[in-house]
Amino acid sequence: MARYGMIIDLRRCVGCYACVMACKAENLTPKGVSWNRLIVEEKGEYPKARMTFTPVLCNHCENPPCRDVCPTGATYKRSDGIVAVNQSKCIGCKYCMVACPYQARSIHEKSEGYFSKYGLTPLEQHGYKKHKKGAPSKCVFCYERVEQSKEPACVAACPTRARIFGDVTNPNSEISHLLEKNKTFRFIEELGTKPAVSYILDQAPKTERG
Amino acid sequence: MNLNRRQFIGLSTAVSALAFAGVSGTKLFEAYAGTEQDDAWIPTHCKACAADNRCHLLVHRVNGVAVKIEGNSDSPTNQGRNCAKSAAALLTLYNPYRVKFPVKRTNPQKGRGIDPKWVEITWDEALNTIAAKLKKVRGEDPRKFVFMTGHAASLNIDTDREFAEVFGTPNVIVGATSMACGGSASPINKIVNGGGQARADMLYCKYFLNLGANSQQGGKGNSEEADAFVNARSRGLKVVNVTPILSPSLAKTDEWVPIIPGTTGYFLLAMINVIVNELKVYDKEFLIKRTNAVYLVGEDGLYLRTNDKLKDHVRGLELGNPLVWDRSDNRAKAFDDPSLNEASLEGAFEIDGKKYRTTFEVLKEHVKEYTPEKGKEITGISPETVRRLAKEWVEEALIGKTITIDGVIYPYRPVAIIAEQGAKCHVDNYMVVHAAKILAELVGATDVPGSAKAAGSPTISINPVDGVNISEEFIYKPLKKNPERISLQDHSPIPGSSSGLAWLTMQDPKAYGFDYTPEVLGIWGGNPQALLGDFEQINKIFKDFPFTFAISYEFDEPTEFADIVLPESSWLERYGLTSFVPKTSFTEVFKTKGNYGWALQQPVLPKPLYNTKEGNQIILELSEKLGILNGKNGLLARLNESVGVREPFLLDLEKKYTWEEIIDLLCKSKTGGEKDLDWFKKNGLVTYDAFTIQKYYGYTKYPKARIPLYLEEFASHRVQLKKELEEKGIIRKPNNEFVLKQFTPLPFWEPHPEHKAAKEYDLYCINYKNMQHHFACNVGNAWLMEMTSEQDPYALNVMINRVTASKRGLKDGDRIEITSFIGGKVQGKVKTTNLIHTDVLGIAGAYGPHSANMNPEVKIGTAFADLLKLSEDLINPLKISLDRDLKVKIRKI
Amino acid sequence: MTVQNIWHGLVIWYLFLAGTGAGVYLLAVGNKMFRKQDALVKMGYIWGPILVALGTILLLLDLGRPFWAFLAVLRPHASMISVGTLILTFFMLNGFFQIYSLLFKKKEPPHALDIIGFILAIGTATYTGLLLGVVEAIPFWNKPILLPILFLVSALSSGIGFLLLVSILNKNSKEETKSNLHRMMKFDIWLILIELALLILLLWLSARGNPAAAASVQILTSGFFALPFWGLLIVTGLLLPLVLETLVRSHKQSILALCSIALLIGGVTLRYSIVVAGVWLPMSK
């Protein structure tokens, strides 16, 4: 069985927000909900300072704290490693949101949509069927796309191909090659969550990548 | 009460009209039932920014609702990827704050933020009213109709000039673009590189000296160019940014050299000085054979020529061939004399008792005064840094090295310099761009692999008299005694493409010598209030028009001054057809997928979401009502010449067409009759293998081209212009000398108005771009704005250097009032940062729109433009480019 | 570093009310079980479950999908919410049965129920600490032993505050009730001292631990919550009752009222302080 993972090559990320918006458009997440975020920070002192970009999303941990704390089993792990949420089982206690070290979850508690004065647009009427008010949600690695052999929306959209998605158990996959060839890091590993999302540091040596 | 579906829809339309009139709480979309059963991916090209429509998209439609926008993987340009702006365009389509039906105002009062209290009218009423007003002025004096257009992203403006022309008015004016943007570099780019836009050749470049926004990202932010840029970096490209701010598009940099705003010209001249007078390293072969560096000029700055009387259409004079000094024969010869053996690059020569120097020698002398030492005070850059960068520049250029591509040997000069927005939006904009080109020419890094070159395949024409490249925009046009064009373009010998002076003349046309006063304003895009500022003056101009109509997608500030607004479809509901070629590098993809093609823009819904029409369709209908559509002087006849239809697909001058039908003919014309609109609707784009890599580099495509190091035509133009101004008694503001001074064959630098501001204005304030909101038309997008306000720490705030902030007792989140040296005022929230020069404040984009009927949730952020003022001494008179750097003072509130 | 803003208002009041309810029950029923004093027991039977029930209502109101709350019991082996839901449910059922016997059957509830209720009340008070204590993502909270004990001690202290308040408000309070309560106040001196010690321990451990935990301490000692922390928790909630209980001999109504209000304020502010100062582990590299 596949185990899906993602590499984000921070050397290639230019902070354009394409992934953030691709995710919004693919999943039509309600107002206030963002499964894919870009953390913009600064490193260094003037004039050697640099702006850094770190796209973050659900890490699809091997040991997901969000699943552990869920009182109902609404959050579960699929056999392909994707951590998914069955919103109809969720009670909205938000324990998962507190427990996720990656702050990858968000919730919509109002369902007015983006233009409250006008009600829901046809787009929102279409998209919000998937989202239950009061249930925290998060990135699900676009498993519906993955099941159709497509890349997750953020990966497909990334203008600079900074994101690589694939099966880490397949030694011939691009992600496996990259994991092998590059020094990568994962966030907050000390909790033993074993994230499926790895990063290549921006300062890492330049290596040509096709 | 039982309603059938039809009644229900009717009712909700009525209700939504009420909602529009201000009744809140009404659900606009309840009529949507989603009954159509479909699931389709519709190919179209993007229009979310003005990146030349190069990104090709697929729009997923489910049961009549567009639900997702993705890149089209058939595309050799964006290769299936798409940026944030295009993905967010779903909310541009489903934006209930759009203009949804024709409206007229019921509140006669016009002003910033004043609600016109629109009410719905029919298309017939709207078009008839406009046609009646236009007919009246056409009968009196067609020049009284002023048509303002934009070139911004959200618009497909193909018929504006043709409409104005058949109407009989010379007054098509730009809202803001070109005056506020990078269009200002295009004539220089054309004359040097053979294309309106220049790019670094990202496939081979190793050293990228960037001035202003990053052309690979900040300029347009499109997928293809950002990808080429990071690929180049992964191949070892070194990026040096000489900018006052390290804005988001500049984040990927190897070195940042902070510079005081408006001093890039000095910095470049100092670099040139170090190279030609200290290092004395330059590409001699290139300068001798490929430029006019060896041409001889006299004390008057004009070429020494043969005594022939050849027609030089650039200068509008009869002239001989320029001479060069043959050092083996020790005498002057025509530049193309077959007996010419070895032209002298340097030196002064006495001929017939007069002193002549090569233009290169003139350059050497000219730049001597721009010492790095003196520059320290001016640019804030240390002399050591200037010298180091100059040394790096000549070393990295690998002068003498060659590279073989597809069997052809090229000089290999992997250094590129590009002056983008920020560096060039100044009173001296031509000179900054010109200086950057000189720096490139010195090391032969022009139009060869690795250097800056035309974006795409170059197109160059050569002046047969002097053998030097021509820029159409530099061809001398004699002045009219009395101005006709409200933009005063007939009072400039090289009017360029910008008609921005109209914003000054329209304040008082009589004072500028016009014998008419504009009476009808048509608006089709453009947003001067958001980009040029001086909203009090500009709004007064808008208010003073007795009648104004707008063709508009949204109620932006200009539209709110209209009496009637015609609803324009969103870009996802329009037709267009655009070509593409490799832009920033001739990558493998173009070799395999084809390097030239056409892509269709088409409506993604079966019919427009609201009662809207495409702008071009509106122009066709309006023309018909005015009786200027048909016949040999009609709009269709003009379109036959301008839009690119060819035999046998020319428009029948006596027929009526929809815009869709015209696009069909265009599809057939462009594909030699092979593909029609239906084919494009299904397939989206067609690609061909149209040219080889030799045609992609100017070096091989135009082996005879000579690139001007020295713009001699400007020296010639100055003499002619001075004479014409005097003879015709024309006085340009602020004074004729100000205008004449800009006609200079070599760039100079002198302090800009902001550098001479009073001492109390102790900080600079600049405007920078970010990628997600590039182009003001995207500010109204609710998804983009939500993302920006939640995730972008800078965009909606005022950036200030951390050290400067702490000296002034400011911290993150403090509110400040900023007052510019020319009197503009804005407020903003402080964001301290290490990414900006210690003397500079940075404000992003074109945020903070003021109109009453836009989505209140997008009306946030600080409007940089409100700090600006329009006056002739702040505007480059050659290219009508507004100086957008300011001196300001701040106050905590 | 990001301060958690997921749990606030309602959840904090729930933590307080459930804790206070459990404290009231433990004190009153414990007084009966261990000291054979019945004077307070009725108050415990009644107010313990009622306060817990009030807290539970707030908790339900905070749920995104309250109508599905019954699903919360599905994973007691893993989720503290499931464990807590079960404890709360059984405590309330037990309590309501005791109230039913007392008020409608007019007889003493069975002794066994006291023992069950007592154990469940300990569970209620400690579990609220454990709920936060097991969250590894927020190092300031992640003290699975310290936090439950602190919450238990605080629950008892605010229980005393609540009992005092009820007896003051009840004009017909018996002398015996009052004397029992005065004894409780002496007991509370120890509770407050322990609470102070535990709090100092929590801050000390956190300040020298992970940067995120240190940031939490900063929020309380000098950051955005410093004023409530020092003013309402330390001074009003802990030091003032400590002074009143140790130094003031008088049992005037006004003194008792002041003491009771101060204890309750301390109970709320303690939970507020700990919850709002939760800072997630940083995501930087």
Side-chain angles (χ1 to χ4, degrees), chain C residues 27 34 38 50 88 97 108 126 165 167 197 211 236-237 250 269 281:
Chain C
L27 290 163
F34 303 115
D38 286 352
I50 287 179
L88 285 180
F97 187 76
E108 188 89 336
T126 48
L165 187 70
S167 75
T236 312
S250 154
T269 318
L281 283 168

Side-chain angles (χ1 to χ4, degrees), chain A residues 37 39 41 43 54 56 59 67-73 87-95 97-103 107 109 132-135 185-188 190-191 201, chain C residues 2 4 6-7 11 62-66 68-76 78-82 85 130-138 141-142 210 280-285:
Chain A
R37 288 180 297 134
I39 299 177
E41 291 171 313
K43 292 244 158 71
T54 316
V56 294
N59 275 277
R67 178 203 51 190
D68 295 347
V69 301
C70 177
T72 70
Q87 288 198 336
S88 45
K89 255 179 114 175
C90 173
I91 63 169
C93 69
K94 302 180 274 264
Y95 205 7
M97 295 177 73
V98 168
C100 171
Y102 309 105
Q103 301 157 49
I107 188 165
E109 297 189 277
K132 293 211 157 42
K133 197 175 104 177
F185 74 90
R186 300 182 291 179
F187 280 116
I188 315 181
E190 62 272 26
L191 299 187
L201 259 184
Chain C
T2 319
Q4 78 83 20
I6 309 296
W7 279 349
V11 175
D62 186 69
L63 290 183
R65 289 162 43 84
W68 301 87
F70 61 90
L71 293 173
V73 298
L74 291 176
R75 297 184 74 242
S79 173
M80 278 319 298
I81 295 233
S82 292
T85 309
L130 206 53
L131 182 71
L132 305 180
V134 297
V135 175
E136 292 182 305
I138 298 177
W141 293 358
N142 190 211
N210 186 286
W280 273 299
L281 283 168
M283 283 273 283
S284 57
K285 201 74 182 181

